[in-house]
Amino acid sequence: MNRRSTLKQSDKEFIAFANDFYTQVNDHQINWKLDAERVKKLEMHTRLATNAYIANNTPSTRNHLTSVEKKLTFGELKHFLSLFIDALEGNEEVTDENLADMHLRPRTQPAHKPLPVPTEAPLLRFSQQHDEITVYVTRSEQGQPAHGVQLKPYHGFKLRWKFEEEADWHVEISTRLHHTIFFDAKDETRRVTISAAWINPRLQEGPWAPSIGMVVG
């Protein structure tokens, strides 16, 4: 959890986090070599904020003054916690595992492994309108189109097409789940062959879908 989300939780979630934070700090203050006076101040701010929260959250005691007191003590606790978290992150005795146990973000984030080369071919479907052919790609579930498909884990797809009499492919890349090929009016009635393959962010392609022939127009 990052710093902003930690300190911007609901009152109930925040006070629970603050009390758990203090408990762990108090339990580890010796082996983490923490300043005893700072730990006492953390306990004081946490206790005052907790008492104010309880008073303002209890129908029989809630009033304008308890609301003001809760807002004041929460603000002071959040400010003190922010400084205390900074100190913990700079304390070599506090490990990344300790920070994670306190629901704080570790200092070092795990490296993201690059997405591998796709191992499956997309399923294709088409729609035609005048001199346009729109190619739609989807993943398969046991040979059938998957519902609610998203691009993940792929970056997009590579589309290749050529007229029947051509030797070279025209290649286009889309980071969406569909792509439209635009033809000239003079291309009507020409036969075109189309195929597609998933790509990862490095534009490495997976297996190509079986080529499909269509007539333009």
Side-chain angles (χ1 to χ4, degrees):
M1 182 181 297
N2 63 39
R3 182 75 56 81
R4 180 171 297 179
S5 61
T6 297
L7 302 181
K8 286 194 173 183
Q9 303 175 83
S10 68
D11 288 351
K12 181 179 179 180
E13 292 172 330
F14 170 71
I15 208 65
F17 162 79
N19 277 278
D20 180 67
F21 182 90
Y22 167 70
T23 297
Q24 297 200 52
V25 165
N26 189 54
D27 289 346
H28 294 87
Q29 65 172 308
I30 294 177
N31 56 302
W32 288 351
K33 300 179 182 177
L34 301 178
D35 179 69
E37 196 60 35
R38 286 176 62 86
V39 175
K40 287 181 180 179
K41 289 184 178 180
L42 175 63
E43 185 278 330
M44 178 194 70
H45 284 298
T46 304
R47 174 170 41 82
L48 292 176
T50 300
N51 291 341
Y53 168 76
I54 294 172
N56 192 61
N57 206 50
T58 304
S60 61
T61 58
R62 182 171 59 234
N63 55 43
H64 176 68
L65 291 179
T66 61
S67 177
V68 171
E69 182 69 11
K70 191 270 300 183
K71 184 176 181 180
L72 176 64
T73 56
F74 267 48
E76 292 175 342
L77 175 58
K78 288 180 179 181
H79 176 68
F80 193 82
L81 269 176
S82 183
L83 297 176
F84 207 105
I85 292 170
D86 284 339
L88 288 184
E89 291 176 344
N91 185 340
E92 295 182 352
E93 304 298 330
V94 182
T95 67
D96 274 359
E97 289 74 16
N98 294 146
L99 294 176
D101 288 341
M102 302 173 80
H103 306 291
L104 299 174
R105 181 159 46 186
R107 302 177 187 88
T108 56
Q109 298 299 308
H112 291 289
K113 294 182 180 179
L115 290 176
V117 177
T119 57
E120 64 175 340
L123 297 180
L124 309 182
R125 65 180 180 87
F126 307 87
S127 68
Q128 286 185 267
Q129 183 177 0
H130 303 297
D131 301 322
E132 303 174 7
I133 295 178
T134 299
V135 183
Y136 297 87
V137 295
T138 187
R139 299 179 64 194
S140 64
E141 291 180 349
Q142 298 179 345
Q144 299 299 319
H147 297 288
V149 69
Q150 297 181 347
L151 273 175
K152 292 181 180 181
Y154 306 124
H155 177 68
F157 71 98
K158 183 179 291 187
L159 175 70
R160 67 183 184 186
W161 64 271
K162 65 178 181 177
F163 291 114
E164 193 173 41
E165 66 277 11
E166 291 182 327
D168 297 327
W169 292 93
H170 303 268
V171 177
E172 302 177 41
I173 290 176
S174 175
T175 55
R176 305 172 69 185
L177 290 170
H178 59 83
H179 184 75
T180 300
I181 308 172
F182 298 94
F183 299 95
D184 296 328
K186 61 181 178 61
D187 294 325
E188 287 189 8
T189 72
R190 296 180 71 181
R191 187 170 182 81
V192 64
T193 301
I194 302 172
S195 184
W198 295 115
I199 57 173
N200 64 15
R202 290 170 289 169
L203 305 186
Q204 295 172 309
E205 66 197 42
W208 287 91
S211 297
I212 297 177
M214 304 181 67
V215 175
V216 178

